[in-house]
mmCIF file of all heavy atoms in Angstrom:
data_model
loop_
_atom_site.group_PDB
_atom_site.id
_atom_site.type_symbol
_atom_site.label_atom_id
_atom_site.label_comp_id
_atom_site.label_asym_id
_atom_site.label_seq_id
_atom_site.Cartn_x
_atom_site.Cartn_y
_atom_site.Cartn_z
ATOM 1 N N HIS A 258 -35.881 -56.094 23.680
ATOM 2 C CA HIS A 258 -35.931 -56.376 22.245
ATOM 3 C C HIS A 258 -36.168 -55.080 21.474
ATOM 4 O O HIS A 258 -35.511 -54.786 20.478
ATOM 5 C CB HIS A 258 -37.047 -57.383 21.971
ATOM 6 C CG HIS A 258 -37.209 -57.705 20.535
ATOM 7 N ND1 HIS A 258 -37.975 -56.926 19.704
ATOM 8 C CD2 HIS A 258 -36.687 -58.685 19.777
ATOM 9 C CE1 HIS A 258 -37.909 -57.431 18.488
ATOM 10 N NE2 HIS A 258 -37.151 -58.496 18.513
ATOM 11 N N ARG A 261 -33.096 -52.895 21.451
ATOM 12 C CA ARG A 261 -32.019 -53.399 20.600
ATOM 13 C C ARG A 261 -32.174 -52.976 19.143
ATOM 14 O O ARG A 261 -31.190 -52.766 18.443
ATOM 15 C CB ARG A 261 -32.002 -54.929 20.636
ATOM 16 C CG ARG A 261 -31.132 -55.458 21.691
ATOM 17 C CD ARG A 261 -31.362 -56.923 21.866
ATOM 18 N NE ARG A 261 -30.545 -57.359 22.964
ATOM 19 C CZ ARG A 261 -29.271 -57.690 22.845
ATOM 20 N NH1 ARG A 261 -28.685 -57.674 21.675
ATOM 21 N NH2 ARG A 261 -28.585 -58.052 23.893
ATOM 22 N N ASN A 303 -28.646 -55.736 28.321
ATOM 23 C CA ASN A 303 -28.279 -57.125 28.580
ATOM 24 C C ASN A 303 -28.478 -57.471 30.053
ATOM 25 O O ASN A 303 -28.918 -58.580 30.381
ATOM 26 C CB ASN A 303 -26.829 -57.389 28.180
ATOM 27 C CG ASN A 303 -26.691 -57.436 26.679
ATOM 28 O OD1 ASN A 303 -27.671 -57.639 25.978
ATOM 29 N ND2 ASN A 303 -25.495 -57.218 26.175
ATOM 30 N N LEU A 306 -32.098 -57.954 30.698
ATOM 31 C CA LEU A 306 -32.490 -59.232 30.100
ATOM 32 C C LEU A 306 -32.054 -60.389 31.001
ATOM 33 O O LEU A 306 -32.810 -61.331 31.242
ATOM 34 C CB LEU A 306 -31.808 -59.353 28.735
ATOM 35 C CG LEU A 306 -32.470 -60.244 27.718
ATOM 36 C CD1 LEU A 306 -33.851 -59.721 27.399
ATOM 37 C CD2 LEU A 306 -31.642 -60.293 26.446
ATOM 38 N N LYS A 310 -34.380 -63.039 32.970
ATOM 39 C CA LYS A 310 -34.197 -64.478 32.751
ATOM 40 C C LYS A 310 -33.986 -65.203 34.080
ATOM 41 O O LYS A 310 -34.501 -66.282 34.299
ATOM 42 C CB LYS A 310 -32.997 -64.724 31.841
ATOM 43 C CG LYS A 310 -33.368 -64.663 30.386
ATOM 44 C CD LYS A 310 -32.178 -64.947 29.524
ATOM 45 C CE LYS A 310 -31.237 -63.776 29.453
ATOM 46 N NZ LYS A 310 -29.977 -64.047 28.825
ATOM 47 N N ILE A 319 -24.275 -72.436 29.281
ATOM 48 C CA ILE A 319 -24.022 -73.246 28.082
ATOM 49 C C ILE A 319 -22.531 -73.540 28.009
ATOM 50 O O ILE A 319 -21.714 -72.627 27.831
ATOM 51 C CB ILE A 319 -24.523 -72.515 26.825
ATOM 52 C CG1 ILE A 319 -26.036 -72.298 26.973
ATOM 53 C CG2 ILE A 319 -24.219 -73.308 25.566
ATOM 54 C CD1 ILE A 319 -26.628 -71.387 25.946
ATOM 55 N N MET A 364 -18.314 -67.428 28.000
ATOM 56 C CA MET A 364 -18.949 -66.109 27.880
ATOM 57 C C MET A 364 -19.380 -65.594 29.252
ATOM 58 O O MET A 364 -19.219 -64.423 29.575
ATOM 59 C CB MET A 364 -20.213 -66.190 26.995
ATOM 60 C CG MET A 364 -19.960 -66.415 25.520
ATOM 61 S SD MET A 364 -18.777 -65.259 24.842
ATOM 62 C CE MET A 364 -19.730 -63.760 24.917
ATOM 63 N N LEU A 552 -26.054 -65.981 0.169
ATOM 64 C CA LEU A 552 -26.421 -65.923 1.586
ATOM 65 C C LEU A 552 -27.696 -65.096 1.751
ATOM 66 O O LEU A 552 -27.879 -64.090 1.062
ATOM 67 C CB LEU A 552 -25.266 -65.272 2.388
ATOM 68 C CG LEU A 552 -25.503 -65.036 3.875
ATOM 69 C CD1 LEU A 552 -25.589 -66.366 4.634
ATOM 70 C CD2 LEU A 552 -24.369 -64.188 4.482
ATOM 71 N N ILE A 553 -28.579 -65.559 2.651
ATOM 72 C CA ILE A 553 -29.762 -64.745 2.978
ATOM 73 C C ILE A 553 -29.659 -64.369 4.451
ATOM 74 O O ILE A 553 -29.477 -65.238 5.307
ATOM 75 C CB ILE A 553 -31.075 -65.534 2.728
ATOM 76 C CG1 ILE A 553 -31.212 -65.884 1.252
ATOM 77 C CG2 ILE A 553 -32.287 -64.708 3.185
ATOM 78 C CD1 ILE A 553 -32.431 -66.732 0.907
ATOM 79 N N LEU A 554 -29.749 -63.046 4.754
ATOM 80 C CA LEU A 554 -29.814 -62.593 6.151
ATOM 81 C C LEU A 554 -31.286 -62.292 6.422
ATOM 82 O O LEU A 554 -31.865 -61.401 5.800
ATOM 83 C CB LEU A 554 -28.959 -61.344 6.367
ATOM 84 C CG LEU A 554 -27.458 -61.500 6.191
ATOM 85 C CD1 LEU A 554 -26.739 -60.166 6.411
ATOM 86 C CD2 LEU A 554 -26.906 -62.523 7.187
ATOM 87 N N LEU A 555 -31.905 -63.064 7.316
ATOM 88 C CA LEU A 555 -33.357 -63.004 7.471
ATOM 89 C C LEU A 555 -33.745 -62.561 8.884
ATOM 90 O O LEU A 555 -33.427 -63.237 9.865
ATOM 91 C CB LEU A 555 -33.908 -64.419 7.183
ATOM 92 C CG LEU A 555 -35.401 -64.657 7.197
ATOM 93 C CD1 LEU A 555 -36.116 -63.755 6.213
ATOM 94 C CD2 LEU A 555 -35.682 -66.123 6.834
ATOM 95 N N ASP A 556 -34.433 -61.407 8.956
ATOM 96 C CA ASP A 556 -34.921 -60.927 10.261
ATOM 97 C C ASP A 556 -36.042 -61.875 10.720
ATOM 98 O O ASP A 556 -36.789 -62.397 9.892
ATOM 99 C CB ASP A 556 -35.457 -59.500 10.084
ATOM 100 C CG ASP A 556 -36.027 -58.938 11.380
ATOM 101 O OD1 ASP A 556 -35.457 -59.243 12.438
ATOM 102 O OD2 ASP A 556 -37.037 -58.218 11.334
ATOM 103 N N ASP A 557 -36.142 -62.105 12.027
ATOM 104 C CA ASP A 557 -37.194 -63.031 12.480
ATOM 105 C C ASP A 557 -38.512 -62.324 12.753
ATOM 106 O O ASP A 557 -39.559 -62.707 12.259
ATOM 107 C CB ASP A 557 -36.733 -63.799 13.735
ATOM 108 C CG ASP A 557 -37.727 -64.904 14.071
ATOM 109 O OD1 ASP A 557 -38.391 -65.401 13.140
ATOM 110 O OD2 ASP A 557 -37.850 -65.268 15.253
ATOM 111 N N SER A 565 -38.972 -67.153 10.807
ATOM 112 C CA SER A 565 -39.032 -68.613 10.978
ATOM 113 C C SER A 565 -40.049 -69.216 10.012
ATOM 114 O O SER A 565 -39.798 -70.268 9.407
ATOM 115 C CB SER A 565 -39.424 -68.963 12.406
ATOM 116 O OG SER A 565 -38.535 -68.347 13.291
ATOM 117 N N PRO A 580 -27.623 -70.811 2.123
ATOM 118 C CA PRO A 580 -27.525 -70.670 3.587
ATOM 119 C C PRO A 580 -28.345 -69.471 4.087
ATOM 120 O O PRO A 580 -28.311 -68.398 3.474
ATOM 121 C CB PRO A 580 -26.036 -70.456 3.853
ATOM 122 C CG PRO A 580 -25.395 -70.266 2.531
ATOM 123 C CD PRO A 580 -26.334 -70.689 1.457
ATOM 124 N N VAL A 581 -29.099 -69.706 5.172
ATOM 125 C CA VAL A 581 -29.938 -68.630 5.720
ATOM 126 C C VAL A 581 -29.461 -68.330 7.148
ATOM 127 O O VAL A 581 -29.400 -69.230 7.985
ATOM 128 C CB VAL A 581 -31.431 -69.023 5.752
ATOM 129 C CG1 VAL A 581 -32.274 -67.838 6.250
ATOM 130 C CG2 VAL A 581 -31.907 -69.468 4.384
ATOM 131 N N CYS A 582 -29.120 -67.065 7.386
ATOM 132 C CA CYS A 582 -28.674 -66.678 8.724
ATOM 133 C C CYS A 582 -29.748 -65.793 9.351
ATOM 134 O O CYS A 582 -30.182 -64.808 8.739
ATOM 135 C CB CYS A 582 -27.353 -65.908 8.587
ATOM 136 S SG CYS A 582 -26.808 -65.197 10.127
ATOM 137 N N VAL A 583 -30.202 -66.165 10.535
ATOM 138 C CA VAL A 583 -31.234 -65.353 11.179
ATOM 139 C C VAL A 583 -30.597 -64.091 11.754
ATOM 140 O O VAL A 583 -29.463 -64.105 12.237
ATOM 141 C CB VAL A 583 -31.998 -66.164 12.258
ATOM 142 C CG1 VAL A 583 -31.112 -66.508 13.424
ATOM 143 C CG2 VAL A 583 -33.235 -65.423 12.741
ATOM 144 N N LEU A 584 -31.350 -62.994 11.653
ATOM 145 C CA LEU A 584 -30.864 -61.692 12.120
ATOM 146 C C LEU A 584 -31.899 -61.236 13.134
ATOM 147 O O LEU A 584 -33.033 -60.962 12.764
ATOM 148 C CB LEU A 584 -30.868 -60.768 10.899
ATOM 149 C CG LEU A 584 -30.126 -59.479 10.964
ATOM 150 C CD1 LEU A 584 -28.658 -59.725 11.174
ATOM 151 C CD2 LEU A 584 -30.324 -58.718 9.664
ATOM 152 N N THR A 585 -31.548 -61.229 14.416
ATOM 153 C CA THR A 585 -32.629 -60.970 15.366
ATOM 154 C C THR A 585 -32.195 -60.180 16.596
ATOM 155 O O THR A 585 -31.049 -60.267 17.026
ATOM 156 C CB THR A 585 -33.264 -62.309 15.825
ATOM 157 O OG1 THR A 585 -34.214 -62.038 16.843
ATOM 158 C CG2 THR A 585 -32.236 -63.272 16.350
ATOM 159 N N ALA A 586 -33.168 -59.439 17.126
ATOM 160 C CA ALA A 586 -32.925 -58.704 18.371
ATOM 161 C C ALA A 586 -33.303 -59.580 19.558
ATOM 162 O O ALA A 586 -33.250 -59.155 20.700
ATOM 163 C CB ALA A 586 -33.741 -57.424 18.383
ATOM 164 N N ASN A 587 -33.695 -60.814 19.259
ATOM 165 C CA ASN A 587 -34.055 -61.763 20.313
ATOM 166 C C ASN A 587 -32.769 -62.425 20.797
ATOM 167 O O ASN A 587 -32.322 -63.418 20.260
ATOM 168 C CB ASN A 587 -35.007 -62.797 19.714
ATOM 169 C CG ASN A 587 -35.768 -63.507 20.790
ATOM 170 O OD1 ASN A 587 -35.417 -63.408 21.963
ATOM 171 N ND2 ASN A 587 -36.795 -64.235 20.406
ATOM 172 N N ALA A 588 -32.171 -61.803 21.833
ATOM 173 C CA ALA A 588 -30.812 -62.231 22.194
ATOM 174 C C ALA A 588 -30.755 -63.021 23.495
ATOM 175 O O ALA A 588 -29.734 -63.063 24.154
ATOM 176 C CB ALA A 588 -29.920 -61.007 22.288
ATOM 177 N N ILE A 589 -31.880 -63.651 23.845
ATOM 178 C CA ILE A 589 -31.895 -64.439 25.081
ATOM 179 C C ILE A 589 -30.950 -65.633 24.936
ATOM 180 O O ILE A 589 -30.810 -66.187 23.840
ATOM 181 C CB ILE A 589 -33.330 -64.936 25.358
ATOM 182 C CG1 ILE A 589 -34.228 -63.742 25.627
ATOM 183 C CG2 ILE A 589 -33.387 -65.913 26.500
ATOM 184 C CD1 ILE A 589 -35.659 -64.080 25.875
ATOM 185 N N THR A 590 -30.313 -66.010 26.058
ATOM 186 C CA THR A 590 -29.421 -67.168 26.020
ATOM 187 C C THR A 590 -30.210 -68.376 25.512
ATOM 188 O O THR A 590 -31.350 -68.573 25.895
ATOM 189 C CB THR A 590 -28.926 -67.515 27.430
ATOM 190 O OG1 THR A 590 -28.697 -66.329 28.114
ATOM 191 C CG2 THR A 590 -27.694 -68.380 27.399
ATOM 192 N N GLY A 591 -29.553 -69.169 24.677
ATOM 193 C CA GLY A 591 -30.234 -70.362 24.189
ATOM 194 C C GLY A 591 -30.961 -70.102 22.883
ATOM 195 O O GLY A 591 -31.409 -71.023 22.224
ATOM 196 N N MET A 592 -31.077 -68.810 22.478
ATOM 197 C CA MET A 592 -31.792 -68.483 21.240
ATOM 198 C C MET A 592 -31.026 -69.004 20.032
ATOM 199 O O MET A 592 -31.608 -69.502 19.085
ATOM 200 C CB MET A 592 -31.956 -66.968 21.119
ATOM 201 C CG MET A 592 -33.277 -66.401 21.567
ATOM 202 S SD MET A 592 -34.509 -67.530 22.052
ATOM 203 C CE MET A 592 -35.633 -67.482 20.726
ATOM 204 N N ARG A 593 -29.672 -68.872 20.083
ATOM 205 C CA ARG A 593 -28.848 -69.356 18.972
ATOM 206 C C ARG A 593 -29.185 -70.826 18.695
ATOM 207 O O ARG A 593 -29.527 -71.189 17.575
ATOM 208 C CB ARG A 593 -27.365 -69.204 19.316
ATOM 209 C CG ARG A 593 -26.443 -70.031 18.477
ATOM 210 C CD ARG A 593 -25.017 -69.871 18.936
ATOM 211 N NE ARG A 593 -24.432 -68.677 18.377
ATOM 212 C CZ ARG A 593 -23.857 -68.630 17.177
ATOM 213 N NH1 ARG A 593 -23.804 -69.704 16.432
ATOM 214 N NH2 ARG A 593 -23.345 -67.529 16.709
ATOM 215 N N GLU A 594 -29.157 -71.643 19.780
ATOM 216 C CA GLU A 594 -29.419 -73.075 19.635
ATOM 217 C C GLU A 594 -30.817 -73.309 19.079
ATOM 218 O O GLU A 594 -31.044 -74.163 18.229
ATOM 219 C CB GLU A 594 -29.267 -73.799 20.975
ATOM 220 C CG GLU A 594 -27.840 -73.918 21.511
ATOM 221 C CD GLU A 594 -27.219 -72.583 21.879
ATOM 222 O OE1 GLU A 594 -27.972 -71.646 22.221
ATOM 223 O OE2 GLU A 594 -25.983 -72.456 21.792
ATOM 224 N N GLU A 595 -31.782 -72.482 19.591
ATOM 225 C CA GLU A 595 -33.169 -72.665 19.166
ATOM 226 C C GLU A 595 -33.312 -72.378 17.666
ATOM 227 O O GLU A 595 -33.951 -73.136 16.940
ATOM 228 C CB GLU A 595 -34.071 -71.749 19.984
ATOM 229 C CG GLU A 595 -35.507 -72.247 19.980
ATOM 230 C CD GLU A 595 -36.378 -71.433 20.897
ATOM 231 O OE1 GLU A 595 -35.967 -71.171 22.040
ATOM 232 O OE2 GLU A 595 -37.474 -71.060 20.442
ATOM 233 N N TYR A 596 -32.670 -71.280 17.227
ATOM 234 C CA TYR A 596 -32.765 -70.929 15.800
ATOM 235 C C TYR A 596 -32.065 -71.986 14.934
ATOM 236 O O TYR A 596 -32.562 -72.352 13.879
ATOM 237 C CB TYR A 596 -32.177 -69.546 15.543
ATOM 238 C CG TYR A 596 -33.141 -68.426 15.895
ATOM 239 C CD1 TYR A 596 -32.867 -67.507 16.891
ATOM 240 C CD2 TYR A 596 -34.348 -68.295 15.205
ATOM 241 C CE1 TYR A 596 -33.754 -66.489 17.205
ATOM 242 C CE2 TYR A 596 -35.244 -67.279 15.517
ATOM 243 C CZ TYR A 596 -34.944 -66.378 16.518
ATOM 244 O OH TYR A 596 -35.834 -65.382 16.823
ATOM 245 N N LEU A 597 -30.924 -72.476 15.413
ATOM 246 C CA LEU A 597 -30.210 -73.488 14.620
ATOM 247 C C LEU A 597 -31.058 -74.743 14.508
ATOM 248 O O LEU A 597 -31.117 -75.380 13.459
ATOM 249 C CB LEU A 597 -28.844 -73.811 15.235
ATOM 250 C CG LEU A 597 -27.814 -72.667 15.263
ATOM 251 C CD1 LEU A 597 -26.443 -73.170 15.694
ATOM 252 C CD2 LEU A 597 -27.692 -71.965 13.910
ATOM 253 N N SER A 598 -31.766 -75.073 15.619
ATOM 254 C CA SER A 598 -32.589 -76.290 15.563
ATOM 255 C C SER A 598 -33.795 -76.092 14.647
ATOM 256 O O SER A 598 -34.357 -77.046 14.143
ATOM 257 C CB SER A 598 -33.042 -76.699 16.969
ATOM 258 O OG SER A 598 -34.033 -75.803 17.401
ATOM 259 N N LYS A 599 -34.168 -74.844 14.401
ATOM 260 C CA LYS A 599 -35.291 -74.586 13.478
ATOM 261 C C LYS A 599 -34.859 -74.739 12.021
ATOM 262 O O LYS A 599 -35.683 -74.712 11.115
ATOM 263 C CB LYS A 599 -35.801 -73.155 13.673
ATOM 264 C CG LYS A 599 -36.799 -73.001 14.798
ATOM 265 C CD LYS A 599 -37.302 -71.569 14.797
ATOM 266 C CE LYS A 599 -38.188 -71.317 15.996
ATOM 267 N NZ LYS A 599 -38.492 -69.880 16.111
ATOM 268 N N GLY A 600 -33.549 -74.814 11.802
ATOM 269 C CA GLY A 600 -33.054 -75.008 10.442
ATOM 270 C C GLY A 600 -32.259 -73.844 9.886
ATOM 271 O O GLY A 600 -31.807 -73.889 8.750
ATOM 272 N N PHE A 601 -32.079 -72.776 10.674
ATOM 273 C CA PHE A 601 -31.235 -71.674 10.203
ATOM 274 C C PHE A 601 -29.782 -72.160 10.192
ATOM 275 O O PHE A 601 -29.395 -72.954 11.050
ATOM 276 C CB PHE A 601 -31.360 -70.457 11.130
ATOM 277 C CG PHE A 601 -32.649 -69.701 10.951
ATOM 278 C CD1 PHE A 601 -33.710 -69.901 11.821
ATOM 279 C CD2 PHE A 601 -32.794 -68.793 9.907
ATOM 280 C CE1 PHE A 601 -34.902 -69.207 11.654
ATOM 281 C CE2 PHE A 601 -33.983 -68.100 9.734
ATOM 282 C CZ PHE A 601 -35.044 -68.308 10.610
ATOM 283 N N ASN A 602 -28.999 -71.658 9.253
ATOM 284 C CA ASN A 602 -27.601 -72.091 9.202
ATOM 285 C C ASN A 602 -26.749 -71.341 10.204
ATOM 286 O O ASN A 602 -25.736 -71.840 10.675
ATOM 287 C CB ASN A 602 -27.015 -71.863 7.812
ATOM 288 C CG ASN A 602 -27.765 -72.643 6.768
ATOM 289 O OD1 ASN A 602 -28.889 -72.303 6.450
ATOM 290 N ND2 ASN A 602 -27.174 -73.720 6.294
ATOM 291 N N ASP A 603 -27.135 -70.092 10.515
ATOM 292 C CA ASP A 603 -26.342 -69.306 11.469
ATOM 293 C C ASP A 603 -27.210 -68.283 12.179
ATOM 294 O O ASP A 603 -28.401 -68.143 11.853
ATOM 295 C CB ASP A 603 -25.177 -68.621 10.743
ATOM 296 C CG ASP A 603 -23.894 -68.768 11.543
ATOM 297 O OD1 ASP A 603 -23.934 -68.416 12.744
ATOM 298 O OD2 ASP A 603 -22.884 -69.251 10.989
ATOM 299 N N TYR A 604 -26.579 -67.570 13.128
ATOM 300 C CA TYR A 604 -27.324 -66.646 13.979
ATOM 301 C C TYR A 604 -26.532 -65.369 14.182
ATOM 302 O O TYR A 604 -25.358 -65.418 14.541
ATOM 303 C CB TYR A 604 -27.556 -67.360 15.322
ATOM 304 C CG TYR A 604 -28.057 -66.521 16.467
ATOM 305 C CD1 TYR A 604 -29.420 -66.412 16.725
ATOM 306 C CD2 TYR A 604 -27.179 -65.868 17.323
ATOM 307 C CE1 TYR A 604 -29.887 -65.666 17.792
ATOM 308 C CE2 TYR A 604 -27.631 -65.117 18.396
ATOM 309 C CZ TYR A 604 -28.991 -65.022 18.627
ATOM 310 O OH TYR A 604 -29.452 -64.295 19.683
ATOM 311 N N LEU A 605 -27.175 -64.220 13.918
ATOM 312 C CA LEU A 605 -26.541 -62.917 14.193
ATOM 313 C C LEU A 605 -27.496 -62.111 15.055
ATOM 314 O O LEU A 605 -28.667 -61.954 14.706
ATOM 315 C CB LEU A 605 -26.309 -62.158 12.889
ATOM 316 C CG LEU A 605 -25.018 -62.422 12.118
ATOM 317 C CD1 LEU A 605 -24.987 -61.579 10.849
ATOM 318 C CD2 LEU A 605 -23.776 -62.127 12.954
ATOM 319 N N SER A 606 -26.996 -61.620 16.210
ATOM 320 C CA SER A 606 -27.905 -60.842 17.053
ATOM 321 C C SER A 606 -27.739 -59.360 16.763
ATOM 322 O O SER A 606 -26.685 -58.911 16.311
ATOM 323 C CB SER A 606 -27.646 -61.133 18.524
ATOM 324 O OG SER A 606 -26.423 -60.560 18.896
ATOM 325 N N LYS A 607 -28.833 -58.606 16.974
ATOM 326 C CA LYS A 607 -28.786 -57.150 16.792
ATOM 327 C C LYS A 607 -28.515 -56.500 18.132
ATOM 328 O O LYS A 607 -29.080 -56.945 19.112
ATOM 329 C CB LYS A 607 -30.137 -56.649 16.272
ATOM 330 C CG LYS A 607 -30.403 -56.995 14.840
ATOM 331 C CD LYS A 607 -31.737 -56.368 14.474
ATOM 332 C CE LYS A 607 -32.368 -57.047 13.290
ATOM 333 N NZ LYS A 607 -33.747 -56.639 13.085
ATOM 334 N N PRO A 608 -27.741 -55.459 18.291
ATOM 335 C CA PRO A 608 -26.984 -54.815 17.226
ATOM 336 C C PRO A 608 -25.907 -55.761 16.677
ATOM 337 O O PRO A 608 -25.284 -56.488 17.448
ATOM 338 C CB PRO A 608 -26.332 -53.632 17.933
ATOM 339 C CG PRO A 608 -26.918 -53.554 19.275
ATOM 340 C CD PRO A 608 -27.591 -54.797 19.577
ATOM 341 N N ILE A 609 -25.722 -55.676 15.349
ATOM 342 C CA ILE A 609 -24.774 -56.590 14.714
ATOM 343 C C ILE A 609 -23.359 -56.277 15.213
ATOM 344 O O ILE A 609 -22.907 -55.134 15.137
ATOM 345 C CB ILE A 609 -24.838 -56.453 13.179
ATOM 346 C CG1 ILE A 609 -26.268 -56.738 12.701
ATOM 347 C CG2 ILE A 609 -23.837 -57.368 12.507
ATOM 348 C CD1 ILE A 609 -26.503 -56.473 11.237
ATOM 349 N N VAL A 610 -22.690 -57.311 15.730
ATOM 350 C CA VAL A 610 -21.301 -57.139 16.178
ATOM 351 C C VAL A 610 -20.411 -57.411 14.969
ATOM 352 O O VAL A 610 -20.590 -58.407 14.274
ATOM 353 C CB VAL A 610 -20.971 -58.131 17.331
ATOM 354 C CG1 VAL A 610 -19.541 -58.000 17.784
ATOM 355 C CG2 VAL A 610 -21.936 -57.919 18.471
ATOM 356 N N LYS A 611 -19.482 -56.469 14.711
ATOM 357 C CA LYS A 611 -18.684 -56.551 13.489
ATOM 358 C C LYS A 611 -17.924 -57.883 13.372
ATOM 359 O O LYS A 611 -17.916 -58.509 12.305
ATOM 360 C CB LYS A 611 -17.704 -55.390 13.437
ATOM 361 C CG LYS A 611 -17.519 -54.931 12.048
ATOM 362 C CD LYS A 611 -16.733 -53.672 11.932
ATOM 363 C CE LYS A 611 -16.004 -53.742 10.612
ATOM 364 N NZ LYS A 611 -14.604 -53.559 10.720
ATOM 365 N N GLU A 612 -17.351 -58.313 14.486
ATOM 366 C CA GLU A 612 -16.571 -59.566 14.461
ATOM 367 C C GLU A 612 -17.459 -60.753 14.077
ATOM 368 O O GLU A 612 -17.047 -61.647 13.350
ATOM 369 C CB GLU A 612 -15.944 -59.860 15.838
ATOM 370 C CG GLU A 612 -14.778 -58.972 16.222
ATOM 371 C CD GLU A 612 -15.198 -57.572 16.591
ATOM 372 O OE1 GLU A 612 -16.356 -57.409 17.025
ATOM 373 O OE2 GLU A 612 -14.394 -56.638 16.420
ATOM 374 N N GLU A 613 -18.687 -60.720 14.568
ATOM 375 C CA GLU A 613 -19.627 -61.811 14.279
ATOM 376 C C GLU A 613 -19.996 -61.807 12.801
ATOM 377 O O GLU A 613 -20.052 -62.848 12.155
ATOM 378 C CB GLU A 613 -20.898 -61.641 15.134
ATOM 379 C CG GLU A 613 -20.813 -62.281 16.504
ATOM 380 C CD GLU A 613 -20.714 -63.789 16.402
ATOM 381 O OE1 GLU A 613 -21.724 -64.424 16.092
ATOM 382 O OE2 GLU A 613 -19.597 -64.321 16.609
ATOM 383 N N LEU A 614 -20.237 -60.582 12.277
ATOM 384 C CA LEU A 614 -20.591 -60.466 10.854
ATOM 385 C C LEU A 614 -19.415 -60.967 10.012
ATOM 386 O O LEU A 614 -19.599 -61.710 9.042
ATOM 387 C CB LEU A 614 -20.922 -59.001 10.528
ATOM 388 C CG LEU A 614 -21.354 -58.734 9.095
ATOM 389 C CD1 LEU A 614 -22.680 -59.412 8.784
ATOM 390 C CD2 LEU A 614 -21.491 -57.237 8.833
ATOM 391 N N ASN A 615 -18.196 -60.586 10.429
ATOM 392 C CA ASN A 615 -16.980 -61.048 9.761
ATOM 393 C C ASN A 615 -16.936 -62.559 9.671
ATOM 394 O O ASN A 615 -16.640 -63.139 8.635
ATOM 395 C CB ASN A 615 -15.780 -60.617 10.610
ATOM 396 C CG ASN A 615 -14.933 -59.612 9.879
ATOM 397 O OD1 ASN A 615 -15.017 -59.506 8.662
ATOM 398 N ND2 ASN A 615 -14.136 -58.878 10.625
ATOM 399 N N ARG A 616 -17.264 -63.177 10.816
ATOM 400 C CA ARG A 616 -17.229 -64.636 10.895
ATOM 401 C C ARG A 616 -18.209 -65.256 9.896
ATOM 402 O O ARG A 616 -17.862 -66.175 9.142
ATOM 403 C CB ARG A 616 -17.581 -65.066 12.326
ATOM 404 C CG ARG A 616 -17.530 -66.549 12.571
ATOM 405 C CD ARG A 616 -18.043 -66.905 13.961
ATOM 406 N NE ARG A 616 -19.422 -66.503 14.201
ATOM 407 C CZ ARG A 616 -20.478 -67.136 13.729
ATOM 408 N NH1 ARG A 616 -20.317 -68.199 12.982
ATOM 409 N NH2 ARG A 616 -21.703 -66.701 14.000
ATOM 410 N N VAL A 617 -19.430 -64.684 9.868
ATOM 411 C CA VAL A 617 -20.465 -65.236 8.985
ATOM 412 C C VAL A 617 -20.072 -65.046 7.517
ATOM 413 O O VAL A 617 -20.185 -65.967 6.706
ATOM 414 C CB VAL A 617 -21.831 -64.562 9.297
ATOM 415 C CG1 VAL A 617 -22.875 -64.930 8.274
ATOM 416 C CG2 VAL A 617 -22.297 -64.964 10.694
ATOM 417 N N ILE A 618 -19.578 -63.852 7.214
ATOM 418 C CA ILE A 618 -19.189 -63.582 5.821
ATOM 419 C C ILE A 618 -18.074 -64.534 5.383
ATOM 420 O O ILE A 618 -18.108 -65.119 4.310
ATOM 421 C CB ILE A 618 -18.723 -62.099 5.663
ATOM 422 C CG1 ILE A 618 -19.874 -61.152 6.027
ATOM 423 C CG2 ILE A 618 -18.188 -61.815 4.266
ATOM 424 C CD1 ILE A 618 -21.034 -61.154 5.083
ATOM 425 N N LYS A 620 -17.393 -67.433 6.546
ATOM 426 C CA LYS A 620 -17.873 -68.809 6.469
ATOM 427 C C LYS A 620 -18.656 -69.070 5.180
ATOM 428 O O LYS A 620 -18.506 -70.117 4.567
ATOM 429 C CB LYS A 620 -18.766 -69.082 7.695
ATOM 430 C CG LYS A 620 -19.089 -70.527 7.911
ATOM 431 C CD LYS A 620 -19.649 -70.711 9.300
ATOM 432 C CE LYS A 620 -20.310 -72.044 9.469
ATOM 433 N NZ LYS A 620 -21.068 -72.093 10.720
ATOM 434 N N TYR A 621 -19.464 -68.094 4.761
ATOM 435 C CA TYR A 621 -20.366 -68.375 3.635
ATOM 436 C C TYR A 621 -19.986 -67.696 2.319
ATOM 437 O O TYR A 621 -20.439 -68.096 1.268
ATOM 438 C CB TYR A 621 -21.816 -67.998 4.005
ATOM 439 C CG TYR A 621 -22.307 -68.766 5.201
ATOM 440 C CD1 TYR A 621 -22.341 -68.187 6.467
ATOM 441 C CD2 TYR A 621 -22.691 -70.110 5.084
ATOM 442 C CE1 TYR A 621 -22.759 -68.897 7.578
ATOM 443 C CE2 TYR A 621 -23.109 -70.831 6.176
ATOM 444 C CZ TYR A 621 -23.136 -70.219 7.421
ATOM 445 O OH TYR A 621 -23.537 -70.936 8.517
#
Side-chain angles (χ1 to χ4, degrees):
H258 178 275
R261 269 168 184 276
N303 287 340
L306 205 61
K310 274 182 284 170
I319 299 170
M364 289 309 291
L552 176 68
I553 297 177
L554 295 179
L555 183 57
D556 178 36
D557 189 28
S565 305
V581 183
C582 173
V583 67
L584 195 62
T585 174
N587 199 347
I589 295 178
T590 322
M592 263 355 253
R593 162 183 278 274
E594 290 66 27
E595 202 174 314
Y596 280 117
L597 295 189
S598 73
K599 276 185 186 171
F601 285 99
N602 299 72
D603 225 308
Y604 168 93
L605 273 180
S606 71
K607 287 183 202 169
I609 302 173
V610 178
K611 215 171 149 234
E612 287 73 26
E613 272 294 286
L614 182 66
N615 246 341
R616 182 187 60 77
V617 171
I618 299 292
K620 193 166 166 191
Y621 300 101

